[in-house]
mmCIF file with all atom_site columns, all heavy atoms in Angstrom:
data_model
loop_
_atom_site.group_PDB
_atom_site.id
_atom_site.type_symbol
_atom_site.label_atom_id
_atom_site.label_alt_id
_atom_site.label_comp_id
_atom_site.label_asym_id
_atom_site.label_entity_id
_atom_site.label_seq_id
_atom_site.pdbx_PDB_ins_code
_atom_site.Cartn_x
_atom_site.Cartn_y
_atom_site.Cartn_z
_atom_site.occupancy
_atom_site.B_iso_or_equiv
_atom_site.pdbx_formal_charge
_atom_site.auth_seq_id
_atom_site.auth_comp_id
_atom_site.auth_asym_id
_atom_site.auth_atom_id
_atom_site.pdbx_PDB_model_num
ATOM 1   N N   . LYS A 1 815 ? -40.882 -12.774 -1.800 1.00 87.00 ? 888 LYS A N   1
ATOM 2   C CA  . LYS A 1 815 ? -42.253 -12.866 -2.310 1.00 87.00 ? 888 LYS A CA  1
ATOM 3   C C   . LYS A 1 815 ? -42.553 -14.282 -2.795 1.00 87.00 ? 888 LYS A C   1
ATOM 4   O O   . LYS A 1 815 ? -43.567 -14.887 -2.446 1.00 87.00 ? 888 LYS A O   1
ATOM 5   C CB  . LYS A 1 815 ? -42.423 -11.856 -3.456 1.00 87.00 ? 888 LYS A CB  1
ATOM 6   C CG  . LYS A 1 815 ? -43.834 -11.305 -3.572 1.00 87.00 ? 888 LYS A CG  1
ATOM 7   C CD  . LYS A 1 815 ? -43.881 -10.204 -4.630 1.00 87.00 ? 888 LYS A CD  1
ATOM 8   C CE  . LYS A 1 815 ? -44.920 -10.555 -5.674 1.00 87.00 ? 888 LYS A CE  1
ATOM 9   N NZ  . LYS A 1 815 ? -44.655 -9.951  -6.972 1.00 87.00 ? 888 LYS A NZ  1
ATOM 10  N N   . ILE A 1 816 ? -41.628 -14.803 -3.605 1.00 87.00 ? 889 ILE A N   1
ATOM 11  C CA  . ILE A 1 816 ? -41.813 -16.150 -4.162 1.00 87.00 ? 889 ILE A CA  1
ATOM 12  C C   . ILE A 1 816 ? -41.930 -17.177 -3.031 1.00 87.00 ? 889 ILE A C   1
ATOM 13  O O   . ILE A 1 816 ? -42.796 -18.054 -3.049 1.00 87.00 ? 889 ILE A O   1
ATOM 14  C CB  . ILE A 1 816 ? -40.634 -16.527 -5.093 1.00 87.00 ? 889 ILE A CB  1
ATOM 15  C CG1 . ILE A 1 816 ? -40.671 -15.647 -6.349 1.00 87.00 ? 889 ILE A CG1 1
ATOM 16  C CG2 . ILE A 1 816 ? -40.676 -18.001 -5.456 1.00 87.00 ? 889 ILE A CG2 1
ATOM 17  C CD1 . ILE A 1 816 ? -39.400 -15.696 -7.181 1.00 87.00 ? 889 ILE A CD1 1
ATOM 18  N N   . ALA A 1 817 ? -41.078 -17.034 -2.025 1.00 86.00 ? 890 ALA A N   1
ATOM 19  C CA  . ALA A 1 817 ? -41.065 -17.999 -0.919 1.00 86.00 ? 890 ALA A CA  1
ATOM 20  C C   . ALA A 1 817 ? -42.388 -17.970 -0.167 1.00 86.00 ? 890 ALA A C   1
ATOM 21  O O   . ALA A 1 817 ? -42.965 -19.018 0.140  1.00 86.00 ? 890 ALA A O   1
ATOM 22  C CB  . ALA A 1 817 ? -39.906 -17.693 0.030  1.00 86.00 ? 890 ALA A CB  1
ATOM 23  N N   . LEU A 1 818 ? -42.879 -16.760 0.093  1.00 85.00 ? 891 LEU A N   1
ATOM 24  C CA  . LEU A 1 818 ? -44.107 -16.649 0.885  1.00 85.00 ? 891 LEU A CA  1
ATOM 25  C C   . LEU A 1 818 ? -45.333 -17.089 0.108  1.00 85.00 ? 891 LEU A C   1
ATOM 26  O O   . LEU A 1 818 ? -46.333 -17.479 0.692  1.00 85.00 ? 891 LEU A O   1
ATOM 27  C CB  . LEU A 1 818 ? -44.275 -15.205 1.387  1.00 85.00 ? 891 LEU A CB  1
ATOM 28  C CG  . LEU A 1 818 ? -43.258 -14.799 2.450  1.00 85.00 ? 891 LEU A CG  1
ATOM 29  C CD1 . LEU A 1 818 ? -43.352 -13.308 2.742  1.00 85.00 ? 891 LEU A CD1 1
ATOM 30  C CD2 . LEU A 1 818 ? -43.460 -15.601 3.731  1.00 85.00 ? 891 LEU A CD2 1
ATOM 31  N N   . GLU A 1 819 ? -45.236 -17.060 -1.212 1.00 83.00 ? 892 GLU A N   1
ATOM 32  C CA  . GLU A 1 819 ? -46.377 -17.470 -2.029 1.00 83.00 ? 892 GLU A CA  1
ATOM 33  C C   . GLU A 1 819 ? -46.402 -18.964 -2.261 1.00 83.00 ? 892 GLU A C   1
ATOM 34  O O   . GLU A 1 819 ? -47.375 -19.504 -2.782 1.00 83.00 ? 892 GLU A O   1
ATOM 35  C CB  . GLU A 1 819 ? -46.339 -16.737 -3.375 1.00 83.00 ? 892 GLU A CB  1
ATOM 36  C CG  . GLU A 1 819 ? -47.041 -15.401 -3.285 1.00 83.00 ? 892 GLU A CG  1
ATOM 37  C CD  . GLU A 1 819 ? -46.786 -14.547 -4.515 1.00 83.00 ? 892 GLU A CD  1
ATOM 38  O OE1 . GLU A 1 819 ? -46.255 -15.067 -5.517 1.00 83.00 ? 892 GLU A OE1 1
ATOM 39  O OE2 . GLU A 1 819 ? -47.106 -13.349 -4.436 1.00 83.00 ? 892 GLU A OE2 1
ATOM 40  N N   . ASP A 1 820 ? -45.323 -19.640 -1.915 1.00 81.00 ? 893 ASP A N   1
ATOM 41  C CA  . ASP A 1 820 ? -45.248 -21.088 -2.131 1.00 81.00 ? 893 ASP A CA  1
ATOM 42  C C   . ASP A 1 820 ? -46.361 -21.775 -1.348 1.00 81.00 ? 893 ASP A C   1
ATOM 43  O O   . ASP A 1 820 ? -46.615 -21.457 -0.180 1.00 81.00 ? 893 ASP A O   1
ATOM 44  C CB  . ASP A 1 820 ? -43.878 -21.599 -1.682 1.00 81.00 ? 893 ASP A CB  1
ATOM 45  C CG  . ASP A 1 820 ? -43.726 -23.062 -1.979 1.00 81.00 ? 893 ASP A CG  1
ATOM 46  O OD1 . ASP A 1 820 ? -43.612 -23.410 -3.162 1.00 81.00 ? 893 ASP A OD1 1
ATOM 47  O OD2 . ASP A 1 820 ? -43.737 -23.872 -1.020 1.00 81.00 ? 893 ASP A OD2 1
ATOM 48  N N   . ARG A 1 821 ? -46.998 -22.717 -2.025 1.00 78.00 ? 894 ARG A N   1
ATOM 49  C CA  . ARG A 1 821 ? -48.152 -23.400 -1.447 1.00 78.00 ? 894 ARG A CA  1
ATOM 50  C C   . ARG A 1 821 ? -47.827 -24.044 -0.087 1.00 78.00 ? 894 ARG A C   1
ATOM 51  O O   . ARG A 1 821 ? -48.532 -23.889 0.891  1.00 78.00 ? 894 ARG A O   1
ATOM 52  C CB  . ARG A 1 821 ? -48.641 -24.480 -2.424 1.00 78.00 ? 894 ARG A CB  1
ATOM 53  C CG  . ARG A 1 821 ? -50.002 -25.079 -2.100 1.00 78.00 ? 894 ARG A CG  1
ATOM 54  C CD  . ARG A 1 821 ? -50.386 -26.098 -3.154 1.00 78.00 ? 894 ARG A CD  1
ATOM 55  N NE  . ARG A 1 821 ? -49.343 -27.100 -3.389 1.00 78.00 ? 894 ARG A NE  1
ATOM 56  C CZ  . ARG A 1 821 ? -49.167 -28.168 -2.612 1.00 78.00 ? 894 ARG A CZ  1
ATOM 57  N NH1 . ARG A 1 821 ? -49.953 -28.379 -1.573 1.00 78.00 ? 894 ARG A NH1 1
ATOM 58  N NH2 . ARG A 1 821 ? -48.218 -29.032 -2.885 1.00 78.00 ? 894 ARG A NH2 1
ATOM 59  N N   . LYS A 1 822 ? -46.699 -24.739 -0.066 1.00 80.00 ? 895 LYS A N   1
ATOM 60  C CA  . LYS A 1 822 ? -46.324 -25.452 1.146  1.00 80.00 ? 895 LYS A CA  1
ATOM 61  C C   . LYS A 1 822 ? -45.989 -24.508 2.289  1.00 80.00 ? 895 LYS A C   1
ATOM 62  O O   . LYS A 1 822 ? -46.280 -24.778 3.455  1.00 80.00 ? 895 LYS A O   1
ATOM 63  C CB  . LYS A 1 822 ? -45.102 -26.330 0.860  1.00 80.00 ? 895 LYS A CB  1
ATOM 64  C CG  . LYS A 1 822 ? -45.468 -27.597 0.151  1.00 80.00 ? 895 LYS A CG  1
ATOM 65  C CD  . LYS A 1 822 ? -44.540 -28.703 0.540  1.00 80.00 ? 895 LYS A CD  1
ATOM 66  C CE  . LYS A 1 822 ? -44.595 -28.936 2.033  1.00 80.00 ? 895 LYS A CE  1
ATOM 67  N NZ  . LYS A 1 822 ? -43.412 -29.634 2.509  1.00 80.00 ? 895 LYS A NZ  1
ATOM 68  N N   . ILE A 1 823 ? -45.348 -23.416 1.925  1.00 80.00 ? 896 ILE A N   1
ATOM 69  C CA  . ILE A 1 823 ? -44.958 -22.460 2.952  1.00 80.00 ? 896 ILE A CA  1
ATOM 70  C C   . ILE A 1 823 ? -46.194 -21.798 3.542  1.00 80.00 ? 896 ILE A C   1
ATOM 71  O O   . ILE A 1 823 ? -46.304 -21.615 4.761  1.00 80.00 ? 896 ILE A O   1
ATOM 72  C CB  . ILE A 1 823 ? -43.989 -21.409 2.366  1.00 80.00 ? 896 ILE A CB  1
ATOM 73  C CG1 . ILE A 1 823 ? -42.729 -22.096 1.823  1.00 80.00 ? 896 ILE A CG1 1
ATOM 74  C CG2 . ILE A 1 823 ? -43.627 -20.349 3.404  1.00 80.00 ? 896 ILE A CG2 1
ATOM 75  C CD1 . ILE A 1 823 ? -41.986 -22.972 2.809  1.00 80.00 ? 896 ILE A CD1 1
ATOM 76  N N   . LYS A 1 824 ? -47.141 -21.502 2.663  1.00 78.00 ? 897 LYS A N   1
ATOM 77  C CA  . LYS A 1 824 ? -48.407 -20.931 3.123  1.00 78.00 ? 897 LYS A CA  1
ATOM 78  C C   . LYS A 1 824 ? -49.082 -21.861 4.119  1.00 78.00 ? 897 LYS A C   1
ATOM 79  O O   . LYS A 1 824 ? -49.604 -21.447 5.136  1.00 78.00 ? 897 LYS A O   1
ATOM 80  C CB  . LYS A 1 824 ? -49.353 -20.706 1.931  1.00 78.00 ? 897 LYS A CB  1
ATOM 81  C CG  . LYS A 1 824 ? -49.168 -19.342 1.290  1.00 78.00 ? 897 LYS A CG  1
ATOM 82  C CD  . LYS A 1 824 ? -50.223 -19.171 0.221  1.00 78.00 ? 897 LYS A CD  1
ATOM 83  C CE  . LYS A 1 824 ? -50.191 -17.775 -0.384 1.00 78.00 ? 897 LYS A CE  1
ATOM 84  N NZ  . LYS A 1 824 ? -50.980 -17.760 -1.639 1.00 78.00 ? 897 LYS A NZ  1
ATOM 85  N N   . GLU A 1 825 ? -49.057 -23.129 3.769  1.00 77.00 ? 898 GLU A N   1
ATOM 86  C CA  . GLU A 1 825 ? -49.652 -24.159 4.619  1.00 77.00 ? 898 GLU A CA  1
ATOM 87  C C   . GLU A 1 825 ? -49.067 -24.132 6.034  1.00 77.00 ? 898 GLU A C   1
ATOM 88  O O   . GLU A 1 825 ? -49.769 -24.231 7.022  1.00 77.00 ? 898 GLU A O   1
ATOM 89  C CB  . GLU A 1 825 ? -49.337 -25.531 4.014  1.00 77.00 ? 898 GLU A CB  1
ATOM 90  C CG  . GLU A 1 825 ? -50.521 -26.442 3.805  1.00 77.00 ? 898 GLU A CG  1
ATOM 91  C CD  . GLU A 1 825 ? -50.100 -27.657 2.995  1.00 77.00 ? 898 GLU A CD  1
ATOM 92  O OE1 . GLU A 1 825 ? -49.418 -28.526 3.572  1.00 77.00 ? 898 GLU A OE1 1
ATOM 93  O OE2 . GLU A 1 825 ? -50.422 -27.715 1.789  1.00 77.00 ? 898 GLU A OE2 1
ATOM 94  N N   . ILE A 1 826 ? -47.745 -24.020 6.087  1.00 77.00 ? 899 ILE A N   1
ATOM 95  C CA  . ILE A 1 826 ? -47.063 -24.096 7.371  1.00 77.00 ? 899 ILE A CA  1
ATOM 96  C C   . ILE A 1 826 ? -47.085 -22.764 8.103  1.00 77.00 ? 899 ILE A C   1
ATOM 97  O O   . ILE A 1 826 ? -47.459 -22.688 9.276  1.00 77.00 ? 899 ILE A O   1
ATOM 98  C CB  . ILE A 1 826 ? -45.595 -24.560 7.193  1.00 77.00 ? 899 ILE A CB  1
ATOM 99  C CG1 . ILE A 1 826 ? -45.571 -25.975 6.600  1.00 77.00 ? 899 ILE A CG1 1
ATOM 100 C CG2 . ILE A 1 826 ? -44.849 -24.538 8.518  1.00 77.00 ? 899 ILE A CG2 1
ATOM 101 C CD1 . ILE A 1 826 ? -44.274 -26.337 5.947  1.00 77.00 ? 899 ILE A CD1 1
ATOM 102 N N   . ALA A 1 827 ? -46.693 -21.737 7.371  1.00 71.00 ? 900 ALA A N   1
ATOM 103 C CA  . ALA A 1 827 ? -46.618 -20.428 8.014  1.00 71.00 ? 900 ALA A CA  1
ATOM 104 C C   . ALA A 1 827 ? -48.009 -19.848 8.226  1.00 71.00 ? 900 ALA A C   1
ATOM 105 O O   . ALA A 1 827 ? -48.284 -19.261 9.272  1.00 71.00 ? 900 ALA A O   1
ATOM 106 C CB  . ALA A 1 827 ? -45.780 -19.477 7.168  1.00 71.00 ? 900 ALA A CB  1
ATOM 107 N N   . GLY A 1 828 ? -48.827 -20.054 7.224  1.00 70.00 ? 901 GLY A N   1
ATOM 108 C CA  . GLY A 1 828 ? -50.224 -19.656 7.302  1.00 70.00 ? 901 GLY A CA  1
ATOM 109 C C   . GLY A 1 828 ? -50.417 -18.256 7.830  1.00 70.00 ? 901 GLY A C   1
ATOM 110 O O   . GLY A 1 828 ? -49.854 -17.293 7.311  1.00 70.00 ? 901 GLY A O   1
ATOM 111 N N   . SER A 1 829 ? -51.142 -18.204 8.923  1.00 70.00 ? 902 SER A N   1
ATOM 112 C CA  . SER A 1 829 ? -51.523 -16.902 9.444  1.00 70.00 ? 902 SER A CA  1
ATOM 113 C C   . SER A 1 829 ? -50.535 -16.403 10.491 1.00 70.00 ? 902 SER A C   1
ATOM 114 O O   . SER A 1 829 ? -50.642 -15.295 10.978 1.00 70.00 ? 902 SER A O   1
ATOM 115 C CB  . SER A 1 829 ? -52.902 -17.021 10.091 1.00 70.00 ? 902 SER A CB  1
ATOM 116 O OG  . SER A 1 829 ? -52.851 -18.085 11.033 1.00 70.00 ? 902 SER A OG  1
ATOM 117 N N   . LYS A 1 830 ? -49.536 -17.274 10.832 1.00 76.00 ? 903 LYS A N   1
ATOM 118 C CA  . LYS A 1 830 ? -48.646 -16.904 11.924 1.00 76.00 ? 903 LYS A CA  1
ATOM 119 C C   . LYS A 1 830 ? -47.805 -15.677 11.569 1.00 76.00 ? 903 LYS A C   1
ATOM 120 O O   . LYS A 1 830 ? -47.465 -15.460 10.406 1.00 76.00 ? 903 LYS A O   1
ATOM 121 C CB  . LYS A 1 830 ? -47.724 -18.075 12.283 1.00 76.00 ? 903 LYS A CB  1
ATOM 122 C CG  . LYS A 1 830 ? -48.478 -19.178 13.005 1.00 76.00 ? 903 LYS A CG  1
ATOM 123 C CD  . LYS A 1 830 ? -47.640 -20.420 13.139 1.00 76.00 ? 903 LYS A CD  1
ATOM 124 C CE  . LYS A 1 830 ? -48.520 -21.594 13.526 1.00 76.00 ? 903 LYS A CE  1
ATOM 125 N NZ  . LYS A 1 830 ? -48.014 -22.855 12.987 1.00 76.00 ? 903 LYS A NZ  1
ATOM 126 N N   . ALA A 1 831 ? -47.449 -14.947 12.590 1.00 79.00 ? 904 ALA A N   1
ATOM 127 C CA  . ALA A 1 831 ? -46.674 -13.723 12.380 1.00 79.00 ? 904 ALA A CA  1
ATOM 128 C C   . ALA A 1 831 ? -45.232 -14.070 12.026 1.00 79.00 ? 904 ALA A C   1
ATOM 129 O O   . ALA A 1 831 ? -44.634 -14.956 12.642 1.00 79.00 ? 904 ALA A O   1
ATOM 130 C CB  . ALA A 1 831 ? -46.699 -12.868 13.643 1.00 79.00 ? 904 ALA A CB  1
#
Side-chain angles (χ1 to χ4, degrees):
Chain A
K888 211 174 124 206
I889 292 167
L891 290 171
E892 273 169 11
D893 184 71
R894 192 178 52 81
K895 281 212 59 200
I896 300 305
K897 271 185 175 165
E898 232 171 74
I899 297 160
S902 53
K903 287 170 195 149

